[in-house]
Amino acid sequence: MALKITHECINCDVCEPVCPNHAIYQGIEIYEIDPDLCTECVGHFDKPQCQTVCPVDCIPLDPAHAETPDQLLQKYRRLTDLGGVTKA
């Protein structure tokens, strides 16, 4: 499932640069996450980097975009042009 940023966001700017998929962007009021690009860092890291660096813990799972770990891995492969090739 993709992540989302809640209104507790303080716009500290630490989450955007750590996102390997460039899914985080500045919205009208707070940072936002594009669910089509968010893989919860599957394929890149063991834990979502935005959650790791967020000082106010405002990046929960987004129940509106539920995905299994396999679906997240497939999204990662699609976004990185790996298709069915497993990263060594």
Side-chain angles (χ1 to χ4, degrees):
M1 122 178 7
L3 300 169
K4 68 177 181 176
I5 298 175
T6 65
H7 284 283
E8 286 79 24
C9 176
I10 58 172
N11 289 311
C12 67
D13 303 319
V14 298
C15 62
E16 182 184 23
V18 299
C19 180
N21 296 322
H22 307 287
I24 300 174
Y25 61 95
Q26 179 63 53
I28 294 172
E29 295 180 24
I30 59 172
Y31 278 91
E32 297 182 24
I33 297 177
D34 182 339
D36 293 331
L37 298 177
C38 179
T39 63
E40 294 178 46
C41 289
V42 167
H44 295 283
F45 301 100
D46 292 335
K47 296 181 180 181
Q49 297 300 287
C50 60
Q51 287 180 329
T52 302
V53 300
C54 181
V56 293
D57 194 28
C58 69
I59 309 175
L61 293 172
D62 184 354
H65 295 95
E67 295 169 290
T68 66
D70 188 52
Q71 288 172 315
L72 292 169
L73 184 59
Q74 291 301 317
K75 187 191 301 185
Y76 159 76
R77 289 178 175 159
R78 187 182 79 252
L79 291 170
T80 58
D81 293 322
L82 289 179
V85 178
T86 303
K87 187 176 177 181

